[in-house]
């Protein structure tokens, strides 16, 4: 038997890929809460609009993006896909709020040759900065330090810092460069500059891509080919992104090989010579293999008794808490059509950013916004005593001020997502290597998947589940 711990999107995906593997005959998925789907949650408000409490869009690019589209197609969700192409305002217009103003970020090659606030120079000059920056040999550094060193402080403050806030609600001065820019960091380390590295990489791979082109195209799913032909930027699902875990749940429930136990928390894991013991409600249950889709923070105490070293490494991967406030306004109250705006940490505001949901996915003539708050600065601004009414008041007041909204929302929802996004701090890559080496050295029948390890995005999480199943099979 195989045990899957956790019923979020990674655990559900792991169960799906287990059922595709004929070597894995009996699977039990344990979920501690009363629902499946994890942080993906789409609710219908009292006023009848969809509020997303977690992610709402997915990128179609790269192997991980293509894998997700293939999964969506196999789950017969293709007719629910809502594509957003590169010409859509939500794809073209992304903003930051700095110096008490909204600023549109560069969205074309020509815009790099213009001086636009909050920058005091043409951004094309970053190439000159990079070519003249001192080359320093490092294994890792913060993404802020790397960008400041190669491109300048203004790029670190106004481009990379708000981006990190939007992706993982993290502090860019602590997040590892490998989190988002691993490839260009490696090129810089090898060639002395990013520009030289990218040019060298482009020349060396162009021929190989041309040769492999037809073969790759033949292996792609219909949705992947469509995404490329129509130049999708992102995509979502009708009725909300929770349609994805819902479809997975329905697919799994139809298979007698798999059992799902809700409200069932794993209390401890012991690894014997030929099997694993998973302690459920005080009783040991034997499994040949275990796939953990729990966060590293949640998995750590389960292994502490028998494997304290592994437990310490897992516990050292922290996570951050985000408050999510959804707001519904009657009519169109936005000053511009865009994906939304992010707030650089240097502005010292209690919000991370605002997503314009009704611009990304039309909600009739009304406006729906999602305000993200806290993250790495949750304790600084809120602590553990802030009430939902106080979160709502802060969200409404900040959006009114920044977007010049006069009206009050007709509906809202407030949620505090505790420890929802793992933080890949400097040294994360080395820590993962220690974890993988330990599991391999001690021949532990354990595979890890989920957002704690190789990416926090949905594509990364789903692909990690597929890889975890291949490791134990």
């Amino acid at each position: 038997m195989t045990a899957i711990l956790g019923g979020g999107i990674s655990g559900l995906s792991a169960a799906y890929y287990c059922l595709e593997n004929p070597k894995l005959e009996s699977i039990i998925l344990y979920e501690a809460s009363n629902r499946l789907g994890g942080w993906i949650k789409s609710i219908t408000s009292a006023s009848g609009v969809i509020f997303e409490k977690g992610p709402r869009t997915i990128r179609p690019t790269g192997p991980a993006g293509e894998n997700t589209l293939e999964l969506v197609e196999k789950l017969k969700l293709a007719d629910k896909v809502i594509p957003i192409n590169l010409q859509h305002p939500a794809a073209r217009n992304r903003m930051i709020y700095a110096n008490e103003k909204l600023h549109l970020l560069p969205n074309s090659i020509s815009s790099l040759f213009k001086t636009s606030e909050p920058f005091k120079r043409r951004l094309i000059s970053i190439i000159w900065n990079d070519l003249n920056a001192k080359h320093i040999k490092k294994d890792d550094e913060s993404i802020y330090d790397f960008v400041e060193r190669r491109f300048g402080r203004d790029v670190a403050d106004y481009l990379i810092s708000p981006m990190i806030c939007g992706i993982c609600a993290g502090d860019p001065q602590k997040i590892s460069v490998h989190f988002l820019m691993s490839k260009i960091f490696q090129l810089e380390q090898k060639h002395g500059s990013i520009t030289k590295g990218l040019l060298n990489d482009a020349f060396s791979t162009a021929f190989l891509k041309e040769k492999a082109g037809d073969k790759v195209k033949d292996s792609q799913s219909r949705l992947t080919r469509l995404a490329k032909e129509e130049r999708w930027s992102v995509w979502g699902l009708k009725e909300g992104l929770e349609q994805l875990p819902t479809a997975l749940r329905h697919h799994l429930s139809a298979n007698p090989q798999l059992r799902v136990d809700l409200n069932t928390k794993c209390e401890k894991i012991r690894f014997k010579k030929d099997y694993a013991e998973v302690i459920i409600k005080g009783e040991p249950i034997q499994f040949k293999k275990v796939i953990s889709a729990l966060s590293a923070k949640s998995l750590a105490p389960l292994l502490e008794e028998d494997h304290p070293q592994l437990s310490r490494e897992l516990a050292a991967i922290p996570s951050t808490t985000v408050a999510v406030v959804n707001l519904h306004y009657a009519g169109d109250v936005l000053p511009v059509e865009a994906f939304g705006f992010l707030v650089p940490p240097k502005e010292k505001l209690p919000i991370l950013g605002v997503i314009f949901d009704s611009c990304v996915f039309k909600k009739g003539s009304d406006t729906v916004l999602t305000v993200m708050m806290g993250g790495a600065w949750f304790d600084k601004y809120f602590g553990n005593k802030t009430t939902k009414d106080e979160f709502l008041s802060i969200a409404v007041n900040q959006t009114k001020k920044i977007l010049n909204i006069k009206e009050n929302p007709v509906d809202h929802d407030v949620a505090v997502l505790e420890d929802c996004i793992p933080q890949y701090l400097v040294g994360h890559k080395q820590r993962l290597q220690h974890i993988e080496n330990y599991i391999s050295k001690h021949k532990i029948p354990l595979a890890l998947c989920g957002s704690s390890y190789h990416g926090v995005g949905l594509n990364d999480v789903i692909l990690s589940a597929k890889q975890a199943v291949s490791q134990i099979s």
Side-chain angles (χ1 to χ4, degrees):
M1 286 201 305
T2 300
I4 299 173
L5 308 180
I9 190 63
S10 57
L12 289 171
S13 300
Y16 174 89
Y17 292 119
C18 279
L19 292 178
E20 284 201 326
N21 191 321
K23 296 179 183 177
L24 304 175
E25 296 179 352
S26 181
I27 305 109
I28 303 179
L29 186 152
Y30 295 108
E31 166 55 40
S33 74
N34 62 358
R35 65 177 289 273
L36 299 171
W39 300 116
I40 303 178
K41 190 173 185 180
S42 311
I43 66 171
T44 301
S45 72
S47 55
V49 301
I50 293 173
F51 286 157
E52 294 282 14
K53 309 309 299 178
R56 68 219 59 217
T57 59
I58 304 178
R59 293 193 176 276
T61 53
E66 293 176 10
N67 179 70
T68 301
L69 286 173
E70 182 182 0
L71 176 64
V72 165
E73 199 165 303
K74 288 182 176 179
L75 291 171
K76 303 188 186 321
L77 284 173
D79 61 335
K80 289 184 177 288
V81 170
I82 308 173
I84 302 296
N85 68 33
L86 290 171
Q87 297 307 311
H88 192 285
R92 289 183 57 81
N93 300 332
R94 295 176 184 249
M95 301 181 292
I96 62 167
Y97 181 73
N99 305 321
E100 299 187 342
K101 291 181 182 178
L102 285 172
H103 304 277
L104 186 65
L105 292 174
N107 59 12
S108 66
I109 295 295
S110 62
S111 64
L112 297 177
F113 291 87
K114 301 173 184 176
T115 301
S116 303
E117 292 291 336
F119 304 98
K120 306 297 184 185
R121 57 176 173 141
R122 297 180 181 92
L123 283 182
I124 194 67
S125 65
I126 64 174
I127 296 176
W128 178 255
N129 277 60
D130 174 54
L131 290 171
N132 288 277
K134 185 177 179 182
H135 181 219
I136 302 173
K137 279 287 186 183
K138 294 187 174 188
D139 292 325
D140 198 359
E141 65 181 315
S142 79
I143 196 164
Y144 184 96
D145 289 345
F146 174 68
V147 171
E148 181 186 29
R149 179 165 63 83
R150 300 309 313 185
F151 297 141
R153 180 170 293 181
D154 56 347
V155 178
D157 282 336
Y158 296 123
L159 280 183
I160 201 64
S161 291
M163 189 184 299
I164 293 298
C165 288
I167 295 173
C168 71
D171 184 345
Q173 298 193 37
K174 296 179 180 179
I175 298 295
S176 166
V177 67
H178 291 289
F179 170 67
L180 198 63
M181 306 176 80
S182 187
K183 182 177 179 180
I184 67 170
F185 175 72
Q186 290 165 6
L187 289 173
E188 182 254 3
Q189 289 292 298
K190 181 178 179 180
H191 298 281
S193 88
I194 297 169
T195 306
K196 292 176 183 176
L198 288 173
L199 288 172
N200 185 279
D201 189 57
F203 283 124
S204 63
T205 59
F207 178 74
L208 293 175
K209 283 185 177 180
E210 185 178 344
K211 283 288 189 183
D214 290 339
K215 185 176 180 181
V216 170
K217 190 174 181 180
D218 290 341
S219 66
Q220 291 172 344
S221 69
R222 186 185 66 84
L223 278 180
T224 296
R225 292 195 296 272
L226 198 61
K228 291 185 177 180
E229 290 166 5
E230 297 180 354
R231 303 180 70 214
W232 296 2
S233 170
V234 294
W235 58 272
L237 291 172
K238 295 173 186 176
E239 302 172 48
L241 204 59
E242 194 173 349
Q243 291 297 308
L244 178 54
T246 297
L248 278 167
R249 187 183 74 227
H250 290 327
H251 175 82
L252 299 177
S253 64
N255 197 307
Q257 285 180 247
L258 181 121
R259 191 180 92 206
V260 175
D261 287 0
L262 297 177
N263 299 304
T264 306
K265 185 177 181 180
C266 175
E267 297 159 1
K268 189 181 294 184
I269 309 172
R270 295 193 183 102
F271 293 102
K272 306 299 182 180
K273 184 178 179 181
D274 299 315
Y275 62 92
E277 273 188 355
V278 176
I279 313 301
I280 302 290
K281 297 178 182 178
E283 296 295 325
I285 304 173
Q286 291 186 11
F287 291 93
K288 189 175 181 181
K289 301 172 175 64
V290 175
I291 300 173
S292 173
L294 303 173
S295 69
K297 182 177 180 179
S298 297
L299 177 62
L302 306 183
L303 304 172
E304 186 174 12
E305 186 176 306
D306 289 353
H307 297 279
Q309 182 182 337
L310 178 58
S311 176
R312 284 193 298 271
E313 294 283 9
L314 291 165
I317 301 174
S319 52
T320 192
T321 297
V322 177
V324 176
V325 181
N326 304 100
L327 303 172
H328 175 200
Y329 293 88
D332 184 1
V333 300
L334 293 175
V336 62
E337 286 194 309
F339 189 86
F341 68 86
L342 295 168
V343 181
K346 69 174 298 182
E347 297 301 309
K348 300 189 184 326
L349 292 183
I351 67 172
L352 300 167
V354 177
I355 299 170
F356 299 174
D357 295 274
S358 51
C359 180
V360 183
F361 304 119
K362 287 296 181 185
K363 313 287 183 182
S365 59
D366 286 0
T367 301
V368 179
L369 308 176
T370 300
V371 185
M372 302 168 293
M373 311 168 70
W377 303 271
F378 192 91
D379 290 340
K380 175 182 177 181
Y381 290 116
F382 308 117
N384 58 6
K385 295 182 180 179
T386 305
T387 66
K388 287 191 174 183
D389 284 343
E390 288 170 331
F391 280 120
L392 175 63
S393 176
I394 293 168
V396 170
N397 290 335
Q398 288 291 326
T399 51
K400 278 188 171 184
K401 174 187 174 184
I402 295 171
L403 297 172
N404 196 28
I405 296 174
K406 307 300 183 186
E407 297 84 353
N408 288 317
V410 296
D411 199 4
H412 68 270
D413 191 80
V414 180
V416 178
L417 312 182
E418 294 184 17
D419 293 325
C420 61
I421 309 179
Q423 302 292 286
Y424 295 6
L425 306 184
V426 174
H428 180 78
K429 184 178 179 181
Q430 291 88 339
R431 175 161 288 110
L432 289 188
Q433 193 61 60
H434 295 160
I435 290 170
E436 290 165 4
N437 288 345
Y438 186 97
I439 292 172
S440 176
K441 178 181 177 181
H442 291 81
K443 298 180 180 178
I444 299 174
L446 171 69
L448 307 176
C449 63
S451 58
S452 290
Y453 309 106
H454 296 286
V456 300
L458 283 180
N459 290 329
D460 303 312
V461 166
I462 292 169
L463 185 59
S464 76
K466 187 176 188 177
Q467 293 168 339
V469 172
S470 70
Q471 288 169 16
I472 66 165
S473 59

